[in-house]
């Protein structure tokens, strides 16, 4: 993502410089830069500010990792649209001396408002996503943790019998319903206690008890979902 962002910034710099060069060359050759009114420079600054606002949108879009790329696609699309609008305003509105500078100023301000709206929407969506992600991590913490512990035992198992038991325990956790709830808390505590006994001995009986309790927990999780 960082490499892609660098490419995007490089393209942004080229377009921004090209837009400014076209505007200054046209106005400089037509009227002369020293004779340009204050309204022109205000409009010129606002157009450049719309370019900067668009870059801020893209910066927010590329902040997270690849796993959240899909959620950021609308932000990238809107920021690219803002870039296109900025180019149109800068190249055409500002490059036509007969057009009043305030027209470009108004359009640039509209683009800035759109960019601020885009960023605020992105921040709100990111906050909502992080809240949901935290909830998912908390509700799936039990199965993930137990699966990791069972896998560690499987890796350390020496003889065939212990490996077979460890594989069964590991598979039970790995293919379990990952979501915990208030209905499964009690039995999950029992599973943890049974797992401690299994972890100490890695015996067949203690392993079978973990598997049995975990299957009961999965059935309880399934029933609670059906009740909801």
């Amino acid at each position: 993502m960082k490499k892609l962002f660098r490419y995007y910034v490089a393209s942004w710099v080229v377009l921004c410089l090209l837009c400014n060069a076209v505007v200054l060359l046209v106005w400089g050759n037509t009227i002369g830069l020293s004779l340009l009114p204050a309204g022109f420079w205000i409009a010129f600054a606002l157009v450049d500010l719309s370019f900067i606002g668009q870059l801020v949108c893209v910066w927010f879009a590329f902040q997270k990792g690849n796993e959240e790329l899909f959620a950021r696609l609308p932000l990238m699309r809107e920021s690219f649209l803002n870039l296109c609008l900025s180019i149109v305003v800068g190249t055409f509105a500002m490059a036509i001396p007969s057009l009043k500078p305030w027209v470009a100023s108004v359009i640039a301000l509209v683009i800035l408002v759109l960019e601020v709206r885009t960023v605020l929407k992105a921040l709100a969506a990111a906050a909502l996503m992080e809240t949901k992600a935290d909830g998912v991590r908390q509700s799936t913490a039990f199965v993930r943790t137990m699966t990791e512990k069972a896998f560690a035992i499987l890796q350390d198992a020496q003889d065939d019998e212990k490996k077979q038991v460890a594989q069964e325990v590991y598979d039970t956790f790995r293919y379990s319903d990952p979501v915990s709830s208030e209905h499964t808390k009690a039995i999950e505590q029992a599973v943890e206690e049974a797992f401690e006994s299994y972890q100490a001995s890695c015996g067949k009986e203690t392993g079978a008890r973990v598997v049995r309790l975990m299957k009961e927990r999965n059935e309880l999780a399934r029933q609670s979902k059906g009740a909801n």
Side-chain angles (χ1 to χ4, degrees), residues 143 146-147 150 169-176 191 195 210 214:
V143 173
M146 299 306 295
T147 302
V169 172
Y170 170 64
D171 287 342
T172 300
F173 284 116
R174 183 169 59 154
Y175 297 118
S176 290
V191 170
F195 188 85
V210 171
M214 198 59 192

Side-chain angles (χ1 to χ4, degrees), residues 8 11 15 54 57-58 73-87 118:
Y8 201 106
S11 302
L15 290 172
Q54 186 277 330
C57 288
V58 178
L73 288 179
L75 177 57
M76 293 180 183
R77 183 179 63 249
E78 291 189 41
S79 64
F80 183 75
L81 177 60
N82 291 337
L83 176 61
C84 294
L85 290 173
S86 300
I87 293 171
T118 299

Side-chain angles (χ1 to χ4, degrees), residues 15-29:
L15 290 172
C16 187
L17 291 177
L18 182 61
C19 174
N20 288 340
V22 170
V23 172
L24 292 176
L25 284 173
V26 170
W27 282 77
N29 291 329

